[in-house]
Amino acid sequence: MFTTVGTAALAHTTGAGKAILAYGGPDAVRALYAGREPLERLTPSTLVTVAALEDDCARIRARGYALDAEEHELGVGCIATPVFDHSGRPVAAISVSGPTTRILHGDTGELGALLRRHAAGVSAVTVDREGERLGLTVASLVSLALDPPLVGISVAHAAALHELLRAAGGFSVSLLGAGQAPPAQHFA
């Protein structure tokens, strides 16, 4: 399992990408993949038709989180849930990835529920640039003992935040202790 900050991945092969697609509206999948079937296959488990991806998106909406069951990389599983902006549009996702045997097991539903709770504590409203709000404010974060954990935040290409992060070439994460003022207060 390997990832690099700032790299793009095919949405239909990742938990984070599918979480964003599933809540992107009824035509999100068809709009992104129109005329591109079969979809690119990275592993034997990759979904390669729009119909299969739409069916998976319906399952994602029903359970509230997305799964990547070795669809992007053999031996790696992922659970992801979308982060919504102030209008309810999915603009990012949080995910946990790791060896399939440790991620996709009997506790998958509990981990999905945990991610959903923490995604609800993330909002896309930190910095205002020309009337457009950019940034992620994380209200809560929990340590997941996956040894080593990989907790990712993925941003939709259509979100203005994606362009900002790409231009910046990176970002940082600050963990605040109890009683410290959230960074968003500095931009109010």
Side-chain angles (χ1 to χ4, degrees):
M1 180 172 66
F2 180 78
T3 188
T4 302
V5 173
T7 59
L10 299 168
H12 71 282
T13 69
T14 67
K18 293 192 301 178
I20 293 168
L21 279 173
Y23 290 91
D27 298 323
V29 172
R30 290 201 183 272
L32 183 62
Y33 291 106
R36 295 175 51 190
E37 285 189 275
L39 307 180
E40 187 174 340
R41 180 184 298 276
L42 300 182
T43 74
S45 300
T46 303
L47 303 175
V48 295
T49 67
V50 168
L53 184 56
E54 287 177 326
D55 289 346
D56 197 33
C57 285
R59 287 189 294 276
I60 291 164
R61 288 187 299 275
R63 73 176 163 252
Y65 58 90
L67 299 174
D68 163 4
E70 298 187 350
E71 295 161 60
H72 185 74
E73 182 180 346
L74 290 175
V76 177
C78 174
I79 302 172
T81 192
V83 173
F84 299 98
D85 70 7
H86 63 284
S87 69
R89 187 175 56 109
V91 294
I94 58 172
S95 64
V96 177
S97 299
T100 304
T101 56
R102 297 186 73 191
I103 298 293
L104 305 178
H105 49 69
D107 296 340
T108 299
E110 291 175 35
L111 187 53
L114 178 68
L115 284 173
R116 277 197 331 260
R117 282 195 310 273
H118 287 284
V122 177
S123 61
V125 293
T126 301
V127 181
D128 195 330
R129 180 183 77 184
E130 298 176 16
E132 191 171 12
R133 294 180 177 201
L134 306 173
L136 296 176
T137 300
V138 180
S140 60
L141 180 68
V142 73
S143 174
L144 303 171
L146 296 176
D147 191 30
L150 176 61
V151 178
I153 298 177
S154 299
V155 180
H157 277 276
L161 180 60
H162 180 268
E163 179 186 324
L164 182 69
L165 288 175
R166 239 176 105 107
F171 64 94
S172 66
V173 175
S174 299
L175 299 178
L176 303 175
Q180 289 181 285
Q185 289 183 359
H186 301 286
F187 296 103

